[in-house]
Amino acid sequence: MTTEEKPDSPERSTVFADPKEVGAWERLSPISIVYFFLKFTITSIRQGFVNAIPAFAAFAVIVDNKLFWLSIALPSLVLAVMVFGVLYYWNFRFQIRNGEILIHRGVLKKEKLNLQYSRVQNVNISRPFYFAPFKLVNCIIESAGSKTSEVDLPGVSEPFAESVQSEVFATEKDEHHETSGSIVEPSEADGNLPQTTDAENSTAPMLKLSNLEAAKSGLTSYLALIVLAAFAPFFEKFSDVLADKFFPYLLKIVEPIVGDKFLAGVIILVTTFVVIFLIITSASVIGALIRFYNFELYNKKDKLVRKAGLLERKTTTLTKSKIQSVAINQNLIAKALKRVSLQYRQVGVKLTNENDGSIQIPMLEPQESSKYVSVAFQNCPDPCFQPIHRSYIKRVFLYFNVIPFIIIFSPLSILVSKYFLFAFLGLIPIFGLIKLSYKRYGFWHNHEFAAMRSGLLGHRIVIFPLYKIQMTKFRQSRGQRRRKVGNLTVQLGSGVETIPYLKSDIADRFINLALYKTESSNQPWM
Amino acid sequence: MTEEETTPNDGNDIMESRADHSQVEGFSNTQLQIDQLPKWEDIEFEPMAKNAAWEPFIQSLIFISFLMAAVIAAPIIGSKSLLYSLPILAGILLLFGLSQWHNFASHRPGVRGIALREKDIGFKKGLIWKSRTMLPFNRVQHIEIHRNPFERKLGLSSLRIFSAGGSGVDLQISGLENDRAERIKQYILEASKSETA
């Protein structure tokens, strides 16, 4: 990737790159300094915080005049990052030349990048709020297979970013034509039919999510609980402060109103927890609004385009043929709200991460999900799931729960206290959960597509075309062999999916079909 | 038009029944007979190298030796009787014996094996948990041969095959003779090249 290219034409300073003038070294807009400053600040906090813990500890223990030194250290750090941002901008040069982007960047470590269009996985355009008044955007170029090889061109004009995007996509199309020879016949599995519908041709979004829905999606994320768990170690300290300082003060106010000290205490405690929970939930909702504000999904001929974001309006473009699977998720909160979320997943994308080119629709009515699945995989019917073998309940309960419980709690109840026998009551809810997960598991396939369903209280469905499968694995224990069942694992470009206790004959037929489809397909899978 | 018509059969015997001739010229939609596809469950797997089980045995032996030395040394350093170590040593030896019985048994022909077909590679392993993995050549991203010092001494190689979407090596086949590993690697590389050409 790194080359020894040298600037071979005189440098010029331009406010933003002109799409028509290629072959000359370009500079970014000076506004990009703001972007670099924010980026390096976040990077420093993320990466530097953990490394700086010993320094913090030393500071806390050794240094006497903390406030004084802090007032010097903090502005110095901010200044250092600002200077770094300016120097980074100053050294940043790029040019577009014959289907490749050349970039020279770096302050202490100089980098010379040569990104060929054919190696580019995706080009996304985002508009941070501070770029908006200047009509500038950030052009994010992702090269295939690596997260670290992402290149940002912040502070370029929108037409320029769009021209890079369209050139990359044009190169990509040519590549596909070349790799698949003359057979680029669209199949029903891929959905790249030449006939485009009116909806695909129109510039109107296929889906426009109201901001109320976007806010609701914040409720469905478990972020609130995660944050709550992360702060658990501080609760003791927090509750001490609360008990010493605020509790007596609040008690003085509440007790005369309710007339009972105990009741007043309970009310204060419950109210405090509710307030904390509401604050965290609000943070989650605000987070969702920042991410999904004015969410729009466009269905263009062979691409899906998603536009959303409050502080940074990000445009993510995903080539439909690169979609490896579609995941439909519904957790308990989403179930209560009668909504699902849907994610178009491409190679190497983790289920919860939307920053690397996958597209997520955060809120959808369940009955609408099949419409959005067919956008990626045309002619994919609604899956009709087959249950897994019933022996799953018995074996998981017996071998992974009852036996470990007996091994752990029987000796404890004999040697330590008979009260440990009560632990066996825990097996009752566990049995219920195993039964629930048995009900959620499901498998379906036809000649072109397959779907796997799993879950506990909510559910997760992953749908994929058979020809996109990377690898299959079938695993059986002794007991499973006797019952003619086994665990089927399918590796897709977007991750690994497993369905347990599937009947062997179903798995065998599926693997034979999947291998045939994968091995006989001339369609590019990525 | 479906994929089946545009794609040549490529040696995968009877894939489709051609019974339904269409009325419209140039269009057909033949039915796929899944039961007539090549059966992966009938694949015959070739055994691994005869000395394949010795490499994990040597590795375990070295680990166990260090562990036993530590168990013997502990009472000596602490000026205690060696009798304290005996039950632990017996336990370690018992576990080592059991694990090595499992190691040698799971390398027996019929238990662990590799199979190459025209378009994919299969690998089966496991004594109690039996697993069979199939990886099509046209999904191979990268392939490498790995030899640790013990493997080099025994003339063995491990084949590591990478495809997309996995978290590391997607298929690792240890216990292959050096020349066989090289031949398989070449075969897969050529096959995957011709698949994507």
Side-chain angles (χ1 to χ4, degrees), chain A residues 467 476 509 512 517 519-520, chain B residues 4 7 35 40 120 139:
Chain A
Y467 81 95
Q476 290 176 297
R509 274 169 66 89
N512 288 329
K517 283 285 172 189
E519 291 162 8
S520 65
Chain B
E4 288 84 54
T7 312
D35 291 330
W40 86 298
D120 48 36
R139 296 292 178 265

Side-chain angles (χ1 to χ4, degrees), chain A residues 315-335:
Chain A
T315 305
T316 309
T317 308
L318 182 60
T319 310
K320 285 181 188 173
S321 63
K322 285 187 177 176
I323 298 170
Q324 303 297 313
S325 61
V326 174
I328 302 165
N329 291 295
Q330 188 181 52
N331 62 26
L332 202 59
I333 304 166
K335 204 171 183 176

Side-chain angles (χ1 to χ4, degrees), chain A residues 387-498:
Chain A
I388 57 169
H389 198 267
R390 248 193 111 71
S391 58
Y392 168 84
I393 303 174
K394 192 175 137 192
R395 296 185 76 84
V396 171
F397 185 59
L398 196 68
Y399 291 118
F400 297 101
N401 293 283
V402 174
I403 292 174
F405 262 69
I406 291 171
I407 292 169
I408 296 165
F409 292 112
S410 297
L412 283 173
S413 61
I414 295 163
L415 300 170
V416 183
S417 163
K418 61 185 176 187
Y419 289 110
F420 275 105
L421 283 171
F422 284 109
F424 285 93
L425 289 174
L427 286 170
I428 298 167
I430 286 173
F431 182 78
L433 289 173
I434 293 168
K435 216 165 170 190
L436 269 178
S437 79
Y438 160 76
K439 276 187 182 169
R440 297 285 178 269
Y441 274 120
F443 179 68
W444 166 87
H445 78 91
N446 66 6
H447 284 191
E448 302 292 341
F449 302 97
M452 289 179 172
R453 189 182 63 193
S454 59
L456 200 61
L457 300 170
H459 73 247
R460 173 171 171 260
I461 298 169
V462 177
I463 304 166
F464 51 91
L466 298 181
Y467 81 95
K468 298 237 175 187
I469 286 174
Q470 302 282 319
M471 195 170 81
T472 63
K473 188 174 180 179
F474 193 59
R475 193 163 177 255
Q476 290 176 297
S477 69
R478 212 173 266 263
Q480 284 180 322
R481 285 197 293 280
R482 258 203 317 275
R483 286 189 165 78
K484 291 186 176 154
V485 294
N487 302 352
L488 172 71
T489 301
V490 171
Q491 187 172 310
L492 300 162
S494 53
V496 177
E497 309 297 336
T498 299

